[in-house]
Amino acid sequence: MAFDKMELRDIEVWDGNFAAAQALRQSQVDVVAAYPITPSTPIVEGYAKFTSDGYVEGEFVMVESEHAAMSACIGAAAAGGRVATATSSQGFALMVETLYQASGMRLPIVLNVVNRALAAPLNVNGDHSDMYLGRDSGWIQLDAYCPQDAYDLNFVAFRVSEDHDVRLPCMVHQDGFMTSHTAQGVHTLTDDKAYGFVGDFKPMNDMLDFEHPVTHGVQTEEDWHFEHKARQHNDLMTKVMPKIQAAFDDFEKLSGRKYNIVEKYDMDDADVCVVCLGTSVETAREVATEMRAEGIKAGVVGIRVIRPFPFLEIAEALKGVKAIAALDRSSPNGTVGMLFNEIAGSLFNTDTKAMLSGYVYGLGGRDLTKAHLVALFKELQANIDAGKVTTPLQQFIGVRGPKLAYL
Amino acid sequence: MAKKGWDEFEIGAMLRTFDGKIDDIAGTRQEDREYSQNSSYTASVADWRLIKPVFNKDYCIDCQFCWIYCPDVSIISRDKKLIGVDMDHCKGCGICVEVCPTNPKSLLMFPEQADEETEIANWPKKDEEEA
Ligand code: SF4
Ligand code: SF4
Protein backbone atom coordinates (compact mmCIF):
# COMPACT_ATOMS: atom_id res chain seq x y z
CA MET A 1 0.00 0.00 0.00
CA ALA A 2 1.20 3.46 -0.88
CA PHE A 3 0.64 5.12 2.44
CA ASP A 4 2.57 5.23 5.70
CA LYS A 5 1.53 3.49 8.90
CA MET A 6 1.41 5.45 12.12
CA GLU A 7 2.86 4.18 15.38
CA LEU A 8 0.41 4.81 18.21
CA ARG A 9 0.90 4.30 21.93
CA ASP A 10 -1.55 1.93 23.60
CA ILE A 11 -3.20 4.92 25.23
CA GLU A 12 -3.11 8.31 23.54
CA VAL A 13 -4.42 11.58 24.96
CA TRP A 14 -7.00 12.57 22.36
CA ASP A 15 -10.15 14.64 22.31
CA GLY A 16 -13.25 13.29 20.58
CA ASN A 17 -12.53 15.10 17.33
CA PHE A 18 -8.99 13.80 17.00
CA ALA A 19 -10.14 10.32 18.00
CA ALA A 20 -12.67 10.40 15.15
CA ALA A 21 -10.05 11.71 12.71
CA GLN A 22 -7.71 8.87 13.66
CA ALA A 23 -10.52 6.38 13.09
CA LEU A 24 -11.08 7.82 9.59
CA ARG A 25 -7.36 7.49 8.89
CA GLN A 26 -7.22 3.92 10.11
CA SER A 27 -10.31 3.04 8.06
CA GLN A 28 -8.51 4.46 4.99
CA VAL A 29 -11.43 6.53 3.75
CA ASP A 30 -11.24 7.13 -0.01
CA VAL A 31 -13.07 10.44 -0.11
CA VAL A 32 -13.80 13.05 2.54
CA ALA A 33 -15.66 16.12 1.26
CA ALA A 34 -16.04 18.72 3.97
CA TYR A 35 -16.90 22.25 4.90
CA PRO A 36 -15.69 23.50 8.28
CA ILE A 37 -18.17 24.07 11.09
CA THR A 38 -17.67 24.40 14.84
CA PRO A 39 -17.19 22.18 16.78
CA SER A 40 -16.60 19.38 14.26
CA THR A 41 -13.96 21.15 12.13
CA PRO A 42 -10.90 19.42 13.66
CA ILE A 43 -12.18 16.00 12.50
CA VAL A 44 -11.80 16.82 8.82
CA GLU A 45 -8.76 19.01 9.46
CA GLY A 46 -7.14 16.00 11.07
CA TYR A 47 -8.05 13.77 8.14
CA ALA A 48 -6.80 16.40 5.66
CA LYS A 49 -3.46 16.54 7.45
CA PHE A 50 -3.15 12.77 7.52
CA THR A 51 -3.82 12.79 3.78
CA SER A 52 -1.27 15.49 2.98
CA ASP A 53 1.29 13.79 5.21
CA GLY A 54 0.88 10.55 3.30
CA TYR A 55 -0.97 8.51 5.90
CA VAL A 56 -4.08 8.06 3.77
CA GLU A 57 -4.42 7.33 0.08
CA GLY A 58 -7.67 9.27 -0.09
CA GLU A 59 -8.98 12.49 -1.55
CA PHE A 60 -9.88 15.52 0.52
CA VAL A 61 -12.45 17.57 -1.38
CA MET A 62 -13.01 21.19 -0.40
CA VAL A 63 -16.53 22.37 -1.14
CA GLU A 64 -18.51 25.56 -0.63
CA SER A 65 -21.16 24.38 1.83
CA GLU A 66 -22.30 21.39 3.83
CA HIS A 67 -25.00 20.77 1.25
CA ALA A 68 -22.24 20.41 -1.33
CA ALA A 69 -20.14 18.35 1.10
CA MET A 70 -22.79 15.69 1.47
CA SER A 71 -23.63 15.91 -2.24
CA ALA A 72 -19.99 15.21 -3.09
CA CYS A 73 -19.98 12.36 -0.58
CA ILE A 74 -23.08 10.91 -2.24
CA GLY A 75 -21.42 11.12 -5.65
CA ALA A 76 -18.24 9.50 -4.38
CA ALA A 77 -20.17 6.74 -2.60
CA ALA A 78 -22.27 6.04 -5.71
CA ALA A 79 -19.07 5.97 -7.75
CA GLY A 80 -17.85 3.20 -5.45
CA GLY A 81 -15.67 4.44 -2.61
CA ARG A 82 -15.45 4.50 1.18
CA VAL A 83 -16.72 7.93 2.14
CA ALA A 84 -17.00 9.99 5.31
CA THR A 85 -17.40 13.54 6.52
CA ALA A 86 -18.26 15.52 9.66
CA THR A 87 -20.58 18.35 10.59
CA SER A 88 -22.54 20.11 13.33
CA SER A 89 -25.66 22.15 13.91
CA GLN A 90 -26.44 24.63 11.10
CA GLY A 91 -24.20 22.71 8.72
CA PHE A 92 -26.05 19.54 9.57
CA ALA A 93 -29.33 21.35 8.99
CA LEU A 94 -28.08 22.40 5.56
CA MET A 95 -27.18 18.77 4.83
CA VAL A 96 -30.58 17.38 5.72
CA GLU A 97 -31.95 17.55 2.19
CA THR A 98 -29.06 15.45 0.95
CA LEU A 99 -29.19 13.04 3.91
CA TYR A 100 -32.41 11.65 2.47
CA GLN A 101 -30.70 11.18 -0.90
CA ALA A 102 -27.87 9.25 0.72
CA SER A 103 -30.13 6.87 2.62
CA GLY A 104 -32.66 6.52 -0.21
CA MET A 105 -29.89 5.64 -2.64
CA ARG A 106 -28.63 3.17 -0.01
CA LEU A 107 -25.11 4.55 0.06
CA PRO A 108 -22.83 3.64 2.97
CA ILE A 109 -21.51 7.02 4.14
CA VAL A 110 -20.21 7.70 7.65
CA LEU A 111 -21.05 11.12 9.06
CA ASN A 112 -19.53 12.32 12.33
CA VAL A 113 -22.01 14.72 13.88
CA VAL A 114 -20.60 16.75 16.73
CA ASN A 115 -23.84 17.80 18.36
CA ARG A 116 -24.56 21.48 18.79
CA ALA A 117 -27.58 23.70 19.32
CA LEU A 118 -29.57 25.03 16.38
CA ALA A 119 -29.97 28.80 15.93
CA ALA A 120 -31.65 31.16 16.62
CA PRO A 121 -30.23 32.42 18.89
CA LEU A 122 -26.84 31.51 17.55
CA ASN A 123 -24.89 29.17 19.79
CA VAL A 124 -21.82 27.02 19.17
CA ASN A 125 -22.24 24.83 22.25
CA GLY A 126 -23.65 21.38 22.59
CA ASP A 127 -27.16 20.04 22.68
CA HIS A 128 -29.02 17.35 20.78
CA SER A 129 -31.27 19.46 18.55
CA ASP A 130 -29.29 18.60 15.42
CA MET A 131 -29.19 14.91 16.31
CA TYR A 132 -32.97 14.91 16.59
CA LEU A 133 -33.38 16.86 13.36
CA GLY A 134 -31.89 13.98 11.38
CA ARG A 135 -33.70 11.16 13.04
CA ASP A 136 -36.24 10.44 10.30
CA SER A 137 -33.73 10.68 7.48
CA GLY A 138 -33.14 6.94 7.20
CA TRP A 139 -29.62 6.96 8.63
CA ILE A 140 -28.34 4.68 11.35
CA GLN A 141 -27.40 6.83 14.36
CA LEU A 142 -24.86 5.79 16.99
CA ASP A 143 -24.12 7.86 20.07
CA ALA A 144 -20.71 8.29 21.72
CA TYR A 145 -20.50 9.36 25.37
CA CYS A 146 -16.74 10.12 25.43
CA PRO A 147 -13.69 10.32 23.10
CA GLN A 148 -13.07 6.57 23.42
CA ASP A 149 -16.56 5.86 22.07
CA ALA A 150 -16.09 8.41 19.29
CA TYR A 151 -13.04 6.44 18.16
CA ASP A 152 -14.51 2.96 18.49
CA LEU A 153 -17.97 3.68 17.07
CA ASN A 154 -16.53 4.94 13.79
CA PHE A 155 -15.16 1.47 13.07
CA VAL A 156 -18.51 -0.07 13.93
CA ALA A 157 -20.22 2.51 11.70
CA PHE A 158 -18.18 1.58 8.61
CA ARG A 159 -18.61 -2.09 9.26
CA VAL A 160 -22.41 -1.97 9.62
CA SER A 161 -23.05 0.68 7.01
CA GLU A 162 -21.04 -1.03 4.27
CA ASP A 163 -22.55 -4.45 4.91
CA HIS A 164 -24.31 -5.41 1.67
CA ASP A 165 -27.43 -6.50 3.56
CA VAL A 166 -27.64 -3.06 5.15
CA ARG A 167 -26.20 -0.46 2.77
CA LEU A 168 -27.44 2.48 4.81
CA PRO A 169 -25.43 5.51 5.87
CA CYS A 170 -24.49 5.93 9.52
CA MET A 171 -23.97 8.90 11.84
CA VAL A 172 -21.69 8.84 14.85
CA HIS A 173 -22.75 11.46 17.36
CA GLN A 174 -20.66 13.05 20.08
CA ASP A 175 -21.38 16.02 22.34
CA GLY A 176 -20.06 19.34 21.11
CA PHE A 177 -17.05 20.55 23.15
CA MET A 178 -17.76 18.23 26.05
CA THR A 179 -16.63 15.21 24.05
CA SER A 180 -15.19 16.84 20.95
CA HIS A 181 -12.75 19.17 22.72
CA THR A 182 -12.09 17.38 26.00
CA ALA A 183 -8.95 15.26 25.88
CA GLN A 184 -8.92 11.93 27.66
CA GLY A 185 -6.89 8.76 27.56
CA VAL A 186 -8.07 6.79 24.52
CA HIS A 187 -7.12 3.13 24.09
CA THR A 188 -5.95 2.68 20.52
CA LEU A 189 -5.92 -0.09 17.98
CA THR A 190 -2.93 -0.63 15.72
CA ASP A 191 -3.45 0.43 12.11
CA ASP A 192 -3.57 -3.18 10.97
CA LYS A 193 -6.04 -4.29 13.61
CA ALA A 194 -8.33 -1.33 13.00
CA TYR A 195 -8.30 -1.75 9.23
CA GLY A 196 -8.75 -5.48 9.62
CA PHE A 197 -11.92 -4.88 11.62
CA VAL A 198 -13.40 -2.47 9.09
CA GLY A 199 -12.25 -4.55 6.11
CA ASP A 200 -11.69 -3.65 2.47
CA PHE A 201 -14.42 -1.63 0.83
CA LYS A 202 -16.65 -3.78 -1.35
CA PRO A 203 -18.50 -1.71 -3.93
CA MET A 204 -22.07 -2.49 -4.96
CA ASN A 205 -23.61 -1.16 -8.18
CA ASP A 206 -20.83 1.40 -8.42
CA MET A 207 -21.04 3.93 -11.23
CA LEU A 208 -17.43 3.32 -12.17
CA ASP A 209 -18.33 -0.23 -13.24
CA PHE A 210 -18.79 0.54 -16.92
CA GLU A 211 -19.62 -3.06 -17.76
CA HIS A 212 -22.83 -2.83 -15.75
CA PRO A 213 -24.30 0.64 -16.20
CA VAL A 214 -26.91 1.71 -13.65
CA THR A 215 -28.90 4.83 -12.90
CA HIS A 216 -28.72 6.22 -9.36
CA GLY A 217 -31.28 8.62 -7.91
CA VAL A 218 -34.11 7.82 -10.30
CA GLN A 219 -37.58 9.25 -10.33
CA THR A 220 -40.36 6.95 -9.13
CA GLU A 221 -43.51 8.98 -8.40
CA GLU A 222 -46.52 7.22 -6.88
CA ASP A 223 -45.70 4.12 -8.84
CA TRP A 224 -42.61 2.99 -6.85
CA HIS A 225 -41.75 5.56 -4.18
CA PHE A 226 -43.77 3.90 -1.42
CA GLU A 227 -42.19 0.51 -2.11
CA HIS A 228 -38.66 1.92 -1.91
CA LYS A 229 -39.40 3.72 1.37
CA ALA A 230 -41.10 0.63 2.79
CA ARG A 231 -38.08 -1.47 1.94
CA GLN A 232 -35.69 1.02 3.51
CA HIS A 233 -37.81 1.11 6.66
CA ASN A 234 -38.04 -2.66 6.75
CA ASP A 235 -34.27 -3.01 6.50
CA LEU A 236 -33.78 -0.49 9.31
CA MET A 237 -36.32 -2.20 11.53
CA THR A 238 -35.22 -5.79 10.94
CA LYS A 239 -31.66 -5.99 9.61
CA VAL A 240 -29.63 -3.29 11.31
CA MET A 241 -29.79 -4.24 15.01
CA PRO A 242 -28.43 -7.77 14.50
CA LYS A 243 -25.58 -6.37 12.42
CA ILE A 244 -24.76 -3.76 15.07
CA GLN A 245 -24.85 -6.42 17.77
CA ALA A 246 -22.53 -8.65 15.73
CA ALA A 247 -20.15 -5.73 15.14
CA PHE A 248 -20.16 -4.91 18.88
CA ASP A 249 -19.41 -8.56 19.68
CA ASP A 250 -16.52 -8.71 17.21
CA PHE A 251 -15.21 -5.41 18.44
CA GLU A 252 -15.15 -6.73 21.98
CA LYS A 253 -13.11 -9.70 20.83
CA LEU A 254 -10.67 -7.36 19.14
CA SER A 255 -10.35 -4.63 21.75
CA GLY A 256 -11.84 -5.94 24.99
CA ARG A 257 -14.24 -3.01 24.99
CA LYS A 258 -17.89 -3.92 25.27
CA TYR A 259 -20.67 -1.87 23.71
CA ASN A 260 -24.40 -2.52 23.95
CA ILE A 261 -27.33 -1.24 21.95
CA VAL A 262 -28.78 -0.11 25.26
CA GLU A 263 -26.26 0.54 28.05
CA LYS A 264 -27.70 -0.59 31.38
CA TYR A 265 -26.13 0.65 34.60
CA ASP A 266 -27.29 -0.70 37.97
CA MET A 267 -30.57 -1.70 36.36
CA ASP A 268 -30.96 -5.21 37.82
CA ASP A 269 -33.05 -4.10 40.82
CA ALA A 270 -33.60 -0.41 40.06
CA ASP A 271 -36.81 1.31 41.17
CA VAL A 272 -36.01 4.66 39.62
CA CYS A 273 -34.04 5.30 36.47
CA VAL A 274 -32.92 7.96 34.09
CA VAL A 275 -32.80 7.38 30.34
CA CYS A 276 -30.47 9.72 28.48
CA LEU A 277 -27.87 10.19 25.74
CA GLY A 278 -24.33 11.49 25.34
CA THR A 279 -22.14 12.83 28.10
CA SER A 280 -25.09 12.98 30.52
CA VAL A 281 -24.99 9.20 30.77
CA GLU A 282 -21.67 9.26 32.62
CA THR A 283 -22.84 12.00 35.03
CA ALA A 284 -26.08 10.13 35.68
CA ARG A 285 -24.17 6.93 36.43
CA GLU A 286 -22.09 8.69 39.05
CA VAL A 287 -25.16 10.20 40.69
CA ALA A 288 -27.02 6.87 40.59
CA THR A 289 -24.20 5.30 42.58
CA GLU A 290 -24.42 8.07 45.17
CA MET A 291 -28.20 7.67 45.37
CA ARG A 292 -27.75 3.98 46.15
CA ALA A 293 -25.68 4.98 49.19
CA GLU A 294 -28.70 7.01 50.30
CA GLY A 295 -31.04 4.04 49.90
CA ILE A 296 -32.65 5.00 46.59
CA LYS A 297 -32.40 2.16 44.11
CA ALA A 298 -31.28 4.18 41.14
CA GLY A 299 -30.19 3.04 37.70
CA VAL A 300 -29.31 4.57 34.34
CA VAL A 301 -30.17 3.52 30.80
CA GLY A 302 -27.93 5.02 28.14
CA ILE A 303 -29.04 4.71 24.55
CA ARG A 304 -26.26 3.82 22.14
CA VAL A 305 -28.32 3.38 18.97
CA ILE A 306 -30.85 6.13 18.33
CA ARG A 307 -31.90 4.96 14.87
CA PRO A 308 -33.16 2.37 14.47
CA PHE A 309 -34.72 3.00 17.88
CA PRO A 310 -34.16 0.00 20.17
CA PHE A 311 -37.81 -0.50 21.24
CA LEU A 312 -37.40 -4.09 22.39
CA GLU A 313 -34.10 -3.54 24.20
CA ILE A 314 -35.52 -0.49 25.99
CA ALA A 315 -38.61 -2.38 27.10
CA GLU A 316 -36.36 -5.19 28.37
CA ALA A 317 -34.04 -2.78 30.20
CA LEU A 318 -36.95 -0.99 31.89
CA LYS A 319 -38.75 -4.12 33.09
CA GLY A 320 -39.64 -3.84 36.78
CA VAL A 321 -38.73 -0.16 37.10
CA LYS A 322 -41.31 1.95 38.94
CA ALA A 323 -40.44 5.50 37.86
CA ILE A 324 -38.58 6.60 34.75
CA ALA A 325 -37.26 10.00 33.72
CA ALA A 326 -36.64 10.58 30.01
CA LEU A 327 -34.04 13.31 29.55
CA ASP A 328 -34.19 15.20 26.28
CA ARG A 329 -31.42 17.60 25.43
CA SER A 330 -33.29 19.36 22.66
CA SER A 331 -35.96 21.97 22.39
CA PRO A 332 -39.12 20.00 21.70
CA ASN A 333 -40.99 23.15 20.56
CA GLY A 334 -44.61 22.26 20.96
CA THR A 335 -44.56 18.65 22.13
CA VAL A 336 -42.93 16.31 24.62
CA GLY A 337 -39.33 15.21 24.08
CA MET A 338 -38.30 12.56 21.57
CA LEU A 339 -37.06 10.13 24.22
CA PHE A 340 -40.23 10.58 26.26
CA ASN A 341 -42.31 9.78 23.19
CA GLU A 342 -40.34 6.78 22.13
CA ILE A 343 -39.96 5.31 25.61
CA ALA A 344 -43.71 5.65 26.04
CA GLY A 345 -44.08 3.86 22.71
CA SER A 346 -41.65 1.13 23.78
CA LEU A 347 -43.54 0.42 27.00
CA PHE A 348 -47.14 0.91 26.00
CA ASN A 349 -48.09 -2.66 25.17
CA THR A 350 -45.81 -4.27 27.76
CA ASP A 351 -46.45 -5.26 31.39
CA THR A 352 -44.24 -2.41 32.62
CA LYS A 353 -46.60 0.22 33.95
CA ALA A 354 -43.93 2.55 35.29
CA MET A 355 -44.51 6.25 35.83
CA LEU A 356 -42.81 8.20 33.09
CA SER A 357 -41.85 11.85 33.21
CA GLY A 358 -40.03 13.95 30.66
CA TYR A 359 -37.30 16.49 31.37
CA VAL A 360 -35.79 19.01 29.01
CA TYR A 361 -32.25 20.02 29.95
CA GLY A 362 -28.92 21.39 28.81
CA LEU A 363 -30.00 23.45 25.80
CA GLY A 364 -27.23 25.41 24.12
CA GLY A 365 -24.52 23.94 26.34
CA ARG A 366 -26.17 24.64 29.72
CA ASP A 367 -24.62 22.28 32.29
CA LEU A 368 -26.46 19.34 33.73
CA THR A 369 -24.99 19.13 37.24
CA LYS A 370 -24.96 16.34 39.75
CA ALA A 371 -27.25 18.45 41.99
CA HIS A 372 -29.86 18.50 39.20
CA LEU A 373 -29.76 14.75 38.94
CA VAL A 374 -29.91 14.22 42.70
CA ALA A 375 -33.09 16.32 42.82
CA LEU A 376 -34.46 14.42 39.84
CA PHE A 377 -33.86 10.96 41.34
CA LYS A 378 -35.51 12.15 44.57
CA GLU A 379 -38.50 13.42 42.63
CA LEU A 380 -38.90 10.03 40.98
CA GLN A 381 -38.64 8.33 44.38
CA ALA A 382 -41.27 10.73 45.80
CA ASN A 383 -43.62 9.71 43.00
CA ILE A 384 -43.15 6.07 43.93
CA ASP A 385 -43.74 6.81 47.64
CA ALA A 386 -46.93 8.70 46.76
CA GLY A 387 -48.06 5.86 44.51
CA LYS A 388 -48.84 8.27 41.69
CA VAL A 389 -47.20 10.88 39.50
CA THR A 390 -47.17 14.07 41.55
CA THR A 391 -45.06 16.06 39.10
CA PRO A 392 -45.99 17.49 35.69
CA LEU A 393 -45.31 15.32 32.67
CA GLN A 394 -42.84 17.76 31.17
CA GLN A 395 -40.37 19.80 33.24
CA PHE A 396 -37.34 21.95 32.50
CA ILE A 397 -34.05 21.55 34.35
CA GLY A 398 -31.88 24.57 35.13
CA VAL A 399 -33.69 27.26 33.19
CA ARG A 400 -33.72 30.70 34.88
CA GLY A 401 -36.94 32.43 35.87
CA PRO A 402 -40.21 30.95 37.16
CA LYS A 403 -40.41 27.15 37.02
CA LEU A 404 -41.44 25.87 33.60
CA ALA A 405 -43.61 22.77 33.44
CA TYR A 406 -46.41 21.52 31.19
CA LEU A 407 -49.11 18.89 31.06
CA MET B 1 -47.29 -7.39 -16.34
CA ALA B 2 -47.80 -7.85 -12.58
CA LYS B 3 -46.01 -5.19 -10.59
CA LYS B 4 -43.28 -6.11 -8.15
CA GLY B 5 -43.65 -5.79 -4.36
CA TRP B 6 -41.33 -3.82 -2.08
CA ASP B 7 -39.13 -6.82 -1.41
CA GLU B 8 -38.60 -7.79 -5.04
CA PHE B 9 -36.55 -5.05 -6.61
CA GLU B 10 -33.00 -4.00 -5.99
CA ILE B 11 -32.30 -1.55 -3.18
CA GLY B 12 -31.46 2.09 -3.63
CA ALA B 13 -34.02 3.19 -6.23
CA MET B 14 -31.29 2.06 -8.58
CA LEU B 15 -32.14 1.00 -12.10
CA ARG B 16 -30.25 -1.31 -14.34
CA THR B 17 -30.59 0.11 -17.80
CA PHE B 18 -31.23 -3.17 -19.49
CA ASP B 19 -32.43 -6.60 -18.48
CA GLY B 20 -30.52 -8.43 -21.16
CA LYS B 21 -26.88 -7.91 -22.03
CA ILE B 22 -26.24 -5.37 -24.75
CA ASP B 23 -22.70 -5.20 -26.04
CA ASP B 24 -23.18 -2.30 -28.42
CA ILE B 25 -25.40 0.27 -26.76
CA ALA B 26 -24.58 3.02 -29.22
CA GLY B 27 -25.44 0.81 -32.18
CA THR B 28 -28.62 -0.64 -30.70
CA ARG B 29 -31.79 1.27 -31.52
CA GLN B 30 -33.71 2.69 -28.58
CA GLU B 31 -36.75 0.59 -29.38
CA ASP B 32 -34.67 -2.59 -29.57
CA ARG B 33 -33.10 -2.26 -26.11
CA GLU B 34 -34.34 -4.45 -23.27
CA TYR B 35 -35.23 -1.83 -20.69
CA SER B 36 -35.85 -3.09 -17.16
CA GLN B 37 -39.44 -3.20 -15.98
CA ASN B 38 -39.38 -0.19 -13.69
CA SER B 39 -37.19 1.92 -15.89
CA SER B 40 -38.52 5.32 -16.87
CA TYR B 41 -38.61 4.08 -20.47
CA THR B 42 -42.01 2.66 -19.62
CA ALA B 43 -43.22 5.77 -17.77
CA SER B 44 -44.69 8.56 -19.85
CA VAL B 45 -44.11 12.14 -18.78
CA ALA B 46 -46.13 13.51 -21.69
CA ASP B 47 -48.84 14.77 -19.34
CA TRP B 48 -46.37 17.21 -17.76
CA ARG B 49 -46.10 19.08 -21.06
CA LEU B 50 -47.90 22.38 -21.67
CA ILE B 51 -45.92 23.34 -24.76
CA LYS B 52 -44.35 20.96 -27.26
CA PRO B 53 -41.40 21.12 -29.62
CA VAL B 54 -42.24 20.89 -33.33
CA PHE B 55 -39.45 19.74 -35.64
CA ASN B 56 -39.12 21.22 -39.14
CA LYS B 57 -36.60 19.16 -41.08
CA ASP B 58 -36.35 21.68 -43.95
CA TYR B 59 -33.97 23.83 -41.91
CA CYS B 60 -32.22 21.15 -39.87
CA ILE B 61 -28.47 20.77 -40.43
CA ASP B 62 -28.25 17.60 -38.29
CA CYS B 63 -25.81 19.17 -35.92
CA GLN B 64 -27.17 16.97 -33.08
CA PHE B 65 -27.12 19.78 -30.54
CA CYS B 66 -30.73 19.13 -29.57
CA TRP B 67 -30.02 15.40 -29.31
CA ILE B 68 -27.12 15.83 -26.89
CA TYR B 69 -28.76 18.57 -24.82
CA CYS B 70 -32.23 17.06 -24.34
CA PRO B 71 -32.31 16.09 -20.63
CA ASP B 72 -34.78 13.29 -21.32
CA VAL B 73 -33.11 11.71 -24.35
CA SER B 74 -36.30 12.45 -26.29
CA ILE B 75 -34.80 13.56 -29.58
CA ILE B 76 -34.74 10.61 -31.94
CA SER B 77 -31.74 10.40 -34.17
CA ARG B 78 -30.74 7.67 -36.65
CA ASP B 79 -27.34 7.60 -38.30
CA LYS B 80 -26.78 11.22 -37.26
CA LYS B 81 -30.01 12.29 -38.99
CA LEU B 82 -32.69 13.94 -36.86
CA ILE B 83 -35.99 12.10 -37.17
CA GLY B 84 -38.26 13.72 -34.64
CA VAL B 85 -39.24 13.93 -30.98
CA ASP B 86 -40.29 11.07 -28.70
CA MET B 87 -43.51 12.59 -27.40
CA ASP B 88 -43.91 9.99 -24.60
CA HIS B 89 -40.76 11.23 -22.86
CA CYS B 90 -40.51 14.89 -23.89
CA LYS B 91 -41.57 17.03 -20.92
CA GLY B 92 -41.66 20.28 -22.90
CA CYS B 93 -38.72 22.09 -21.32
CA GLY B 94 -37.69 23.84 -24.54
CA ILE B 95 -33.94 23.24 -24.20
CA CYS B 96 -33.76 21.69 -27.67
CA VAL B 97 -35.20 24.88 -29.17
CA GLU B 98 -32.82 27.01 -27.15
CA VAL B 99 -29.74 25.23 -28.49
CA CYS B 100 -30.85 24.85 -32.10
CA PRO B 101 -28.41 27.06 -34.09
CA THR B 102 -30.19 27.37 -37.46
CA ASN B 103 -31.88 30.49 -38.76
CA PRO B 104 -34.80 30.15 -38.60
CA LYS B 105 -34.71 27.51 -35.87
CA SER B 106 -35.51 23.96 -36.90
CA LEU B 107 -37.31 23.33 -33.61
CA LEU B 108 -39.86 25.67 -32.05
CA MET B 109 -42.17 25.40 -29.07
CA PHE B 110 -45.94 25.54 -29.68
CA PRO B 111 -48.98 25.06 -27.45
CA GLU B 112 -49.66 21.40 -26.78
CA GLN B 113 -52.90 21.47 -28.83
CA ALA B 114 -51.34 23.24 -31.89
CA ASP B 115 -51.63 21.45 -35.21
CA GLU B 116 -48.19 20.43 -36.43
CA GLU B 117 -48.81 20.68 -40.18
CA THR B 118 -50.25 24.20 -39.85
CA GLU B 119 -47.31 25.33 -37.75
CA ILE B 120 -44.77 23.93 -40.21
CA ALA B 121 -46.63 25.56 -43.13
CA ASN B 122 -46.46 28.94 -41.33
CA TRP B 123 -42.86 28.48 -40.11
CA PRO B 124 -41.17 31.83 -39.35
CA LYS B 125 -38.86 33.31 -41.96
CA LYS B 126 -35.15 33.95 -41.59
CA ASP B 127 -34.22 36.65 -39.09
CA GLU B 128 -32.16 39.39 -40.74
CA GLU B 129 -28.91 40.07 -38.93
CA GLU B 130 -28.86 43.54 -37.46
CA ALA B 131 -26.37 45.76 -39.23
S1 SF4 C 1 -38.63 20.10 -25.10
FE1 SF4 C 1 -37.08 19.43 -23.64
S2 SF4 C 1 -37.63 17.31 -23.24
FE2 SF4 C 1 -38.72 17.88 -25.10
S3 SF4 C 1 -37.36 17.25 -26.74
FE3 SF4 C 1 -36.89 19.38 -26.31
S4 SF4 C 1 -35.19 19.29 -24.86
FE4 SF4 C 1 -36.12 17.26 -24.88
S1 SF4 D 1 -30.25 21.50 -32.99
FE1 SF4 D 1 -31.59 22.16 -34.67
S2 SF4 D 1 -30.29 22.00 -36.50
FE2 SF4 D 1 -29.23 20.87 -34.87
S3 SF4 D 1 -29.92 18.79 -35.19
FE3 SF4 D 1 -31.32 19.68 -33.69
S4 SF4 D 1 -33.01 20.47 -34.90
FE4 SF4 D 1 -31.36 20.07 -36.33
Side-chain angles (χ1 to χ4, degrees), chain B residues 3-46:
Chain B
K3 289 204 170 178
K4 293 176 179 178
W6 61 268
D7 54 340
E8 290 171 286
F9 51 77
E10 285 182 272
I11 63 168
M14 187 277 310
L15 293 183
R16 298 201 179 282
T17 321
F18 311 115
D19 281 337
K21 191 165 167 56
I22 292 179
D23 295 322
D24 177 20
I25 290 169
T28 310
R29 294 172 167 233
Q30 271 157 307
E31 57 270 32
D32 295 337
R33 296 172 184 170
E34 285 186 69
Y35 292 89
S36 55
Q37 189 202 336
N38 49 344
S39 144
S40 57
Y41 179 74
T42 58
S44 170
V45 290

Side-chain angles (χ1 to χ4, degrees), chain B residues 55 60-66 82 96 99-102 106-107:
Chain B
F55 172 55
C60 177
I61 54 171
D62 291 316
C63 68
Q64 312 282 310
F65 280 14
C66 56
L82 256 281
C96 50
V99 298
C100 179
T102 59
S106 319
L107 279 162

Side-chain angles (χ1 to χ4, degrees), chain A residues 205 214-215 218 223 228 231, chain B residues 3 6 9 13 15-16 48:
Chain A
N205 299 328
V214 294
T215 304
V218 296
D223 217 9
H228 280 289
R231 174 134 201 193
Chain B
K3 289 204 170 178
W6 61 268
F9 51 77
L15 293 183
R16 298 201 179 282
W48 296 8

Side-chain angles (χ1 to χ4, degrees), chain A residues 67-309:
Chain A
H67 189 278
M70 185 46 67
S71 302
C73 286
I74 289 166
R82 175 169 289 160
V83 178
T85 187
T87 194
S88 299
S89 183
Q90 308 305 122
F92 180 84
L94 188 53
M95 266 185 193
V96 167
E97 192 253 342
T98 54
L99 296 181
Y100 283 79
Q101 312 284 350
S103 64
M105 289 162 72
R106 306 294 296 262
L107 300 172
I109 298 166
V110 171
L111 172 61
N112 278 275
V113 184
V114 180
N115 293 122
R116 167 187 149 188
L118 286 171
L122 193 63
N123 185 319
V124 297
N125 291 298
D127 75 28
H128 293 160
S129 302
D130 52 3
M131 177 199 292
Y132 285 13
L133 175 63
R135 69 187 197 270
D136 285 348
S137 63
W139 285 56
I140 300 162
Q141 288 176 284
L142 307 176
D143 189 34
Y145 309 158
C146 62
Q148 180 73 62
D149 299 357
Y151 177 68
D152 295 345
L153 291 181
N154 264 284
F155 301 123
V156 173
F158 282 113
R159 171 99 160 226
V160 173
S161 180
E162 290 173 6
D163 189 301
H164 279 197
D165 288 338
V166 175
R167 286 283 291 192
L168 284 162
C170 182
M171 298 177 204
V172 178
H173 294 277
Q174 56 173 298
D175 278 2
F177 291 103
M178 274 181 284
T179 299
S180 66
H181 285 64
T182 305
Q184 291 182 348
V186 173
H187 295 265
T188 63
L189 298 171
T190 63
D191 285 4
D192 288 338
K193 267 192 171 185
Y195 189 79
F197 178 79
V198 173
D200 287 337
F201 183 79
K202 291 184 204 67
M204 182 179 178
N205 299 328
D206 55 314
M207 291 197 299
L208 294 183
D209 179 359
F210 297 125
E211 297 294 309
H212 305 95
V214 294
T215 304
H216 283 263
V218 296
Q219 183 148 5
T220 59
E221 299 306 331
E222 73 277 24
D223 217 9
W224 294 106
H225 183 91
F226 199 174
E227 281 72 22
H228 280 289
K229 290 291 181 185
R231 174 134 201 193
Q232 187 176 332
H233 184 66
N234 175 72
D235 290 353
L236 273 158
M237 295 300 274
T238 62
K239 291 186 179 166
V240 174
M241 284 305 187
K243 296 285 182 184
I244 293 177
Q245 191 54 59
F248 281 167
D249 293 347
D250 284 354
F251 194 77
E252 187 189 4
K253 279 183 213 129
L254 180 78
S255 68
R257 292 190 288 282
K258 174 132 192 71
Y259 289 93
N260 297 297
I261 287 164
V262 164
E263 300 284 358
K264 293 190 280 186
Y265 181 83
D266 268 357
M267 286 302 295
D268 288 345
D269 62 340
D271 288 336
V272 294
C273 95
V274 158
V275 186
C276 55
L277 297 165
T279 42
S280 318
V281 177
E282 296 195 331
T283 316
R285 284 175 183 167
E286 211 173 300
V287 176
T289 304
E290 289 173 19
M291 297 319 293
R292 292 232 165 209
E294 287 188 33
I296 294 180
K297 287 193 195 163
V300 179
V301 170
I303 297 183
R304 186 66 79 189
V305 185
I306 304 150
R307 281 291 182 274
F309 194 78

